[in-house]
Each structure stands twice: as C-alpha cells, then as structure tokens.
Amino acid sequence: MMRTRNLFLLAIGALCAACCALRANPDQAPSSASLFTVAAYAQDDDPFGDDAFDEDGDAADSDAEDPFGAAPTSDPFAPSAIPSAEPAAAPASPAPAAPADGEEAAADSDDPRAKYLRPEDVPDELKTEDDFIQTANPVERAILGRNPTNSAELFSAAASVARVGRPLFAKLLAEKALQAPDASPEDAAKILDELGAGRATYFVAMPEASPAAAQAYEKVLASARQSWESEKTIRDAIARASGDVISDQAAAILDLRRGGSAAVSLLVSDLLSGDGKASAQAANLLPFFESDAIESLIAAVRDADPDALEPAIKYLGEQTDLRVGPELLGFLYCGAPDGAARQAAITALAKQYRELPTESEFALETYRKALGYFNRTTLFGKTVEGTTERWSWNAEKGAPVKAAVPTERAYLEETAYLAQTAYRAGQKANAVPSGSQELAIVATSELELANKGPEEFADALDPLQQAFPEADAAALTSAIRYALDVNRSRGALLAVLWLREIGDESLVYSYNEPSVIVQAATCSDRLVRFQAISAIMKWNPQRSYIGSVKVGRMLEWFASSTGSRVAVVASPKLDECGKIGALLQQQGYRYLPATTGRDAIIAAQSCADVEFVLVSPFIGAPDARVIAQTLRADARTADVPLFVATSEDGEDTKANLLVGREPNAFVYQKPYDLQSSSMALQRLFDYTKPNQISAAARAAQGQAAANAFLALSQSRPDAYEFDRLNDLTRKFLATPEFFEIGLEYAATVKTNYAQTALADLIGDTRYSIEDRRKALAAFERQLDANGSLLRGPEVGKMYDRYNASEKEDAETQKVLSDMLDVYEAHTASK
C-alpha cells in the first residue's frame, strides 16, 4: 500500500516538474511524447498488475490499437492523399503556448481557431478549406478526387457534397466556384446535365449555402446557355426531334426547350422561310414553347413582311388564345394586302369568332385597350424590377427576338400600336372613335421621343409625319389640347413643332380663354413651352391676344437662362447656407442663398437655370410644404425638385410630416462633405425624376429667347414694361455669351438706363478695348434713335471720367474722347 502511494506521488511530482519547466522556459517545453512517456512509466508500475484491466493479457495488441499512435502512411484515404484545386501545405500542429498572467495564451489570440489542436475539433463555422479536406468523410474524398478546377466543376462538387456531406463545406466550394475561371459553354452544359436539375435546385435552396450557391449557379448557367442557345445545338435538336425513336425525340425536345427564346426565333424563321419541310417541322415544334410561340408570332404579324405571313397566320388560327383574334383582326382591317395571307387571316378568324366584329366595333374595342395601357391601368404579365420581357420583330435577322425592356417603354410601345390600329380601323369604317386620333398622335410622339431622346427631339418629327401624313393644323391642335388635358405635356412637343411649320397667327386668337398654342406656351414642360413660344414668335401676331402678357413674361424668363447650373439654398441661418453652398460649388453649382421660404420661391422662379431648391426643415414664411406646392404649381418651376435637408436629431420626422407625399419633394440627410453632397443629390434626382434638360440646351434656349425678345421689343415696344428690359440689358451685358445681344438691347431701348449703361461700359477698363469700341458704336446709335436722355450728373460723370484718364493708356483716353465727341455732336444743335 505504501509502495503504491509512493509511486503515485512520484508520478504527480514528474508532472509538476514538467509544468514548472514549461513556465520557466517555454522555448524548451517538453514534448507531448515525453509527457506520454511519464504517464506510461507510472502505468507500468501499477500495483494492480499488467493484466488488471486486460483479461487476455495481450499487451502487444493493446499497443497496436493505441489511439495516439501514428496513422499508417500507406492508407489510401489519408488526408494528405485528398486532391485539392489549390494544393495547400499541411498545417503544423500548434505548439503549446505559455500562459499569460495566469490565463491561457490561446484566450488572448485573435484567431478563434487557436484553442483547437486538431482539425476535427474545429467547428464547421470556423473550418478552413484545409480543415474540411483533412476531416473529409470517404464520400467527400471521392467527390473531390475528381480534382475540380473551373466554375462548373466546383459547383457540381459543391452540389454533390451538399447532399452527402457538410453544407458549410459545400458553401465553401461554391464560393471557390465564383472565383474560379469559367468553364467552356459545352463543358458547363455537360456538367449541369450530369448533375441534374434536382441536385442543383436542392443545393441552391439550402439556407446554409445561400447566397453563394445561387450566385455560382447563375454563373455556370450563363456559360451553359451559350451552348444551349447556339444555332448548332438548336439545329441538332430539331434534326433529332424528327427521328423515329420516341425516347430520342423526347430528349431532343428537352434540348430544344433549353434553347429558350433563341430556339423560338429560329423556329419562327423556319416557319416563314417558305421551305415546306422546314415550315411544317417548325409548326410541329412551336407548341412546346406555349406562350412564347404565340407572342413571337404576334410580333411577326405586326411588323414582318405581310406576303410571308401565311404560315404564321394559319398556325395562330389553330390556337385557343384570346390574344390571337384581335391581332388577326388588326392585320385584316388595317391594310392587309390581297393574297394568300389575307385569305389565311379570314379563314383563321372564322375559327376564332362565331360572328366577326365589324371594323367600327373593332376600332372602339382597340381604342379602349389603348387607353388601358396609356393610363397604366392594364398590367403586363411578367414585371421584375421595372422591366418586362417583350417580343419584337428584328428586320435584320428576319425573326422575332425577345428582350427585357423597361416597363415604361413597353407601355409606350403597346399604346402607340393599339392607338394607331384603332384610328386606322375607324378611318376605314368612317367611324373613328372620339379621341382615338389625338391619342394616336400623342402616344406615337411619346414613343418617338423615347427613341431619340429629349436633346434630339427634332429628329423624331419625321417618323410622326410619316405615321400621320393626313394630319392638319386642326388635328395637331386637338392633339396638343388632349396632351395638356391629361397632364402628359411632353406628348404635345412634336405636335407643337409640326404646327409651327404649317400654322399661322390665327391660331393664337381666341375668345374667353387662351388658345391651345398659348396654353402650351405656359404649360409645365419646358421643351413644349419653349417650342410653343417659338411658334408664336415666328407667326408674329399683329394684334394683342389673350395670354400675350404671360407669353412675353415667359419669353423674358427663358432669356434669363445662361446655361449655368444654379441651386437655391434656404435656411434661417445664413452661415448654414454658405456651408452647403460651398459644397455645391465644388460640384459645379452656383448657389442663391435665402433665409425665408418666400425668398427661396422668388429666387427659384426668377432664374431659368435653377436645377433644385434645398431648404432646412425649419425654414418659415412659408414652410417647406408650401414651397413644394408652389414650385410644382408654377410652370417655371414645375420640374424643380425640393430637397429638405435634415440632421440626425429627428428632424426627418418633422420634415416628412411637412412635405408628406409631395411628388417633387425629397427628405434626406443634410450633406456635410463633398461625398455626402454628391450622394444626396443623386438620391434626390433618382427619387423625384425631374423632367429637366441639359445646361447646354438651356443656354441655347436663352440665346434664342433673347434674340426673339429683342425683335419683339423693336416691333412692339408697347407690349412690355421698360424696367424689365433694363433688367435684361444689365444681365446680358454682364454675361459674356449674351454680350452682343446686350449691346443691341442698350442701343435700341429708349431709356435713360440704356444710355447710362453704355457710357459706363465705355469707360470700364475691365472690358477689352474692342468691346468698349462696340459699346461706343451702340451709344452712337442710341443717340441717333432717341437723342440724349442723360441728366446733368450723368453727363458730368462722363467728363470727370475723361479728365481722370491722364495716367491711363492712349487707347482708353481715345475712346473716352470719342464718346464725348459723339455726345456733343448729338446735343450741339439743341
């Protein structure tokens, strides 16, 4: 008994000695093998004997099964034998670390894996790729034994591991697939075929593997589609679908369906090719594409060559789809040529209707459908993130194509087609539905403007004229009124442009209310407004008309545009206006400060270059809500968005309560540096979507308006007040782009201010001598036309300026002397 106790104490002492040595000198810590030797020695002297717990007494067998023994190197399933796409060095076993301040050093490490000595102990959430490989089960090893390298192979391996192994291991492989090089289209298609849709779907749907699984699948699928949608693959599937073996036909049809819209396009092309065999084969295979087949053939019926449409019409006539009948009626009633296609349409329609609708009935029903798309009350079937898929006819390919288009454009296309169809059918029946012509012109205008863009709107006029060659001034005037009444002012732009060419001054005269063209000249759309004013200026009415004062003031407003970028910044604190204004200046804006709501509104309405108004939620007299409503209600600022800038202390709640759901107002955090300012403005324009034009276009409008205003002031000087002409003269002389026009104004207007401004400019050395000479010529013309309007102090200032020029250059003295000579020559006789 005493011996047993002594041996036990001896073993404890040995262990304590090892621990002390570890503390004293961590660099010379005893190895795990020496510790096991101590433990073995203590066990050999066990007083219970060698066979106390071994009935067989086979010590050799016990040593062979030692769990701490080394793994046999010949094991084919050893971790070191597992292949990897990126071979990594085997991780070394971490050496025991010295405790720090009584705690384990592992606890102080930033690596959460440091406390684990063996890969199998590390949780799956923390495992690296090497950890997963070293702890792989036999099935996972077999899957990885294929040595996957590209995206398709790695995704297939990930999906297979997900079904038989660890989900997080599968996720890691999917993430590697995202970074791996793409597989060839043929290889990607083959691998997905071998994997099967079920396994891929199972993997993508696993919560543990998302979103890496879905992203990797989309990457591989994109490569595979290049193979599935290639003409070679589709042609091969079409050929195999004509075989005699049913199983081969089924497999070919599956391959064909994977071709998607590319297969449909090819089949429709074959259907219309005129080749009897290819056409019959296409007609047999198109039903497998269901709705896509119908929609693609409808696109062909709308725009393809009518002489080639007989097979398509026959096919559509056999379908029980509600979309077929109206499309074939439109083809029949809107100019289908005599021939096989027309006869095929009559035969097909007999299968679609028990009693064929008349042209007038069809026109009215189609007009109602067009209104549904025009008002956005009819919805498209598939709409994702503002886009929808539509089939259209591609003349170059000679086949229909499917593409994702913005939903707004889809509405424009469908409205324009249906409205034109309704109008044409009504024309043939001499029963045009009321409003259908106006809708057709407005809808077509909107579509053509979308095709060309707002900056190239003049190029969109020709397609409109080709679509409606019979349109006259009355039809265009009616279309403009229709667009204004339904608040779609931009739809009136091309009609106004066309009316300018064929109209005359009689269109501005009216009774009781402004005429349609005058209403367009004061509408909310800037492009329409300017073109309407240009039309009126071209016609040059010889007498007053209702709204002429508004037209003149709007023309003056346009003339104030110089093409600069201007923002109004309003806050009760002027220093805050300066801080925000400084940020806007770095982005190319010139800012106008305001400390009250009234000043902000006046500043926005007085300048044609204002792009937005930024206000503090604490602005008053009036508040932000009234500012938003006033800006939207005034034609000059209808497209100017309001930015309510808040801080982080809850001001956004007050701001949102103020502006509510105002469509032109946006509440966002107040910018504090250049980056936040840029982001805030981007958010503002994305949210409000203002219908604005570029700075260059504004400058061009300003130049044209200034010239028109000058001509108008000369031909009818009694129509406008002189104080506004003086204000424009001052603005033009101060703006380099408008300097020449400013001189013409100053030379023409019979005001004291015009003569004073020219005299001051002649003596201003900040201008070049050439500009001062031009001002002298304008001064002389002013005196010729109106005589001297200068008062005594102003005349004295001219002489004082000359007398003070003794030390200035000779050219300055000469031009000042010439100015006095001109003045004295015109006043000597009086």
Side-chain angles (χ1 to χ4, degrees), residues 2 8 62 115 147 187 197 208 248 267 271 276 303 406 468 484 491 569 620 636 673 790 793 817:
M2 180 65 68
F8 177 75
S62 177
K115 62 181 179 180
N147 194 24
D187 289 344
E208 299 89 344
D248 292 344
L267 289 173
L271 185 69
D303 297 315
F468 301 94
L484 298 178
V569 181
R636 295 168 294 180
D673 59 12
L790 298 174
S817 174

Side-chain angles (χ1 to χ4, degrees), residues 352-542:
Q352 296 290 321
Y353 294 97
R354 293 181 179 178
E355 183 178 351
L356 211 62
T358 64
E359 291 175 337
S360 59
E361 291 172 342
F362 168 72
L364 182 59
E365 183 62 27
T366 306
Y367 171 61
R368 290 170 179 167
K369 289 182 180 179
L371 282 177
Y373 287 101
F374 185 70
N375 297 323
R376 310 303 193 256
T377 55
T378 301
L379 303 179
F380 290 102
K382 298 178 181 178
T383 302
V384 179
E385 296 182 353
T387 61
T388 186
E389 292 185 336
R390 284 178 62 80
W391 283 93
S392 61
W393 181 258
N394 188 308
E396 294 181 1
K397 294 183 177 181
V401 294
K402 186 178 184 179
V405 299
T407 307
E408 183 62 26
R409 180 173 181 81
Y411 275 118
L412 296 178
E413 292 175 350
E414 197 67 14
T415 303
Y417 173 79
L418 293 175
Q420 288 190 37
T421 300
Y423 173 58
R424 299 302 176 202
Q427 269 187 320
K428 291 188 66 177
N430 293 322
V432 176
S434 178
S436 64
Q437 184 183 28
E438 293 85 350
L439 176 62
I441 293 176
V442 171
T444 305
S445 297
E446 290 182 337
L447 178 60
E448 295 302 331
L449 286 172
N451 292 336
K452 301 296 183 180
E455 304 296 335
E456 306 294 336
F457 62 88
D459 296 336
L461 180 58
D462 187 56
L464 180 69
Q465 292 174 332
Q466 293 179 3
F468 301 94
E470 72 286 352
D472 54 13
L476 296 175
T477 301
S478 183
I480 296 170
R481 180 184 291 108
Y482 184 89
L484 298 178
D485 288 345
V486 298
N487 295 321
R488 300 280 281 270
S489 302
R490 182 58 62 91
L493 177 59
L494 296 184
V496 169
L497 201 63
W498 192 352
L499 192 63
R500 178 186 174 184
E501 297 179 0
I502 64 176
D504 54 41
E505 66 175 302
S506 64
L507 296 174
V508 304
Y509 303 126
S510 59
Y511 300 97
N512 301 326
E513 65 178 10
S515 65
V516 171
I517 194 65
V518 174
Q519 292 179 36
T522 55
C523 74
S524 61
D525 189 280
R526 180 168 182 148
L527 286 176
V528 175
R529 197 160 66 239
F530 183 78
Q531 292 303 323
I533 292 175
S534 299
I536 295 173
M537 294 299 102
K538 177 185 177 183
W539 300 333
N540 192 20
Q542 299 303 307

Side-chain angles (χ1 to χ4, degrees), residues 104 253 262 311 335 403 439 597 608 733:
E104 294 295 333
I253 291 171
L439 176 62
L733 289 177

Side-chain angles (χ1 to χ4, degrees), residues 16 109 141 192 221 286 291 359 395 408 410 429 433 484 622 625 671 691 726 757 764 768 777:
C16 290
S109 175
R141 294 178 196 147
L192 287 184
L221 192 61
L286 277 171
S291 182
E359 291 175 337
E408 183 62 26
L484 298 178
R625 174 177 293 174
N691 210 7
N726 290 338
D764 193 339
S768 66

Side-chain angles (χ1 to χ4, degrees), residues 126-395:
L126 302 179
K127 276 187 171 70
T128 64
E129 181 182 357
D130 288 337
D131 292 337
F132 276 118
I133 290 176
Q134 292 187 44
T135 58
N137 61 45
V139 181
E140 290 174 342
R141 294 178 196 147
I143 293 171
L144 294 177
R146 301 172 184 173
N147 194 24
T149 55
N150 58 44
S151 58
E153 293 172 348
L154 283 166
F155 175 78
S156 177
S160 300
V161 167
R163 293 183 64 88
V164 298
R166 293 161 291 181
L168 294 180
F169 191 11
K171 180 181 180 181
L172 184 145
L173 292 172
E175 291 171 347
K176 287 193 65 176
L178 289 174
Q179 305 302 324
D182 288 336
S184 67
E186 293 74 16
D187 289 344
K190 180 180 178 181
I191 289 172
L192 287 184
D193 287 343
E194 293 174 350
L195 180 64
R199 292 181 182 176
T201 303
Y202 173 83
F203 179 45
V204 170
M206 287 183 66
E208 299 89 344
S210 62
Q215 294 171 356
Y217 180 64
E218 288 299 326
K219 179 180 181 181
V220 177
L221 192 61
S223 297
R225 280 177 178 154
Q226 297 179 32
S227 173
W228 294 336
E229 296 176 1
S230 66
E231 183 173 355
K232 178 182 178 182
T233 302
I234 296 173
R235 287 293 182 194
D236 177 69
I238 292 174
R240 288 188 291 113
S242 303
D244 298 329
V245 181
I246 296 179
S247 59
D248 292 344
Q249 292 178 2
I253 291 171
L254 289 176
D255 291 343
L256 191 62
R257 283 177 58 85
R258 289 192 303 187
S261 58
V264 175
S265 297
L266 200 57
L267 289 173
V268 173
S269 177
D270 287 350
L271 185 69
L272 305 180
S273 64
D275 184 333
K277 181 179 179 181
S279 181
Q281 193 175 41
N284 291 331
L285 295 175
L286 277 171
F288 292 104
F289 293 90
E290 302 172 348
S291 182
D292 276 337
I294 301 294
E295 293 176 8
S296 63
L297 289 172
I298 285 175
V301 169
R302 289 185 177 185
D303 297 315
D305 182 7
D307 294 332
L309 287 177
E310 180 187 6
I313 293 174
K314 285 183 177 180
Y315 178 89
L316 287 174
E318 301 293 336
Q319 310 306 310
T320 55
D321 192 296
L322 294 178
R323 295 169 293 182
V324 171
E327 293 296 336
L328 294 182
L329 283 173
F331 175 79
L332 182 65
Y333 288 155
C334 296
D338 292 332
R342 183 180 183 84
Q343 186 57 46
I346 295 173
T347 303
L349 284 168
K351 299 177 181 179
Q352 296 290 321
Y353 294 97
R354 293 181 179 178
E355 183 178 351
L356 211 62
T358 64
E359 291 175 337
S360 59
E361 291 172 342
F362 168 72
L364 182 59
E365 183 62 27
T366 306
Y367 171 61
R368 290 170 179 167
K369 289 182 180 179
L371 282 177
Y373 287 101
F374 185 70
N375 297 323
R376 310 303 193 256
T377 55
T378 301
L379 303 179
F380 290 102
K382 298 178 181 178
T383 302
V384 179
E385 296 182 353
T387 61
T388 186
E389 292 185 336
R390 284 178 62 80
W391 283 93
S392 61
W393 181 258
N394 188 308

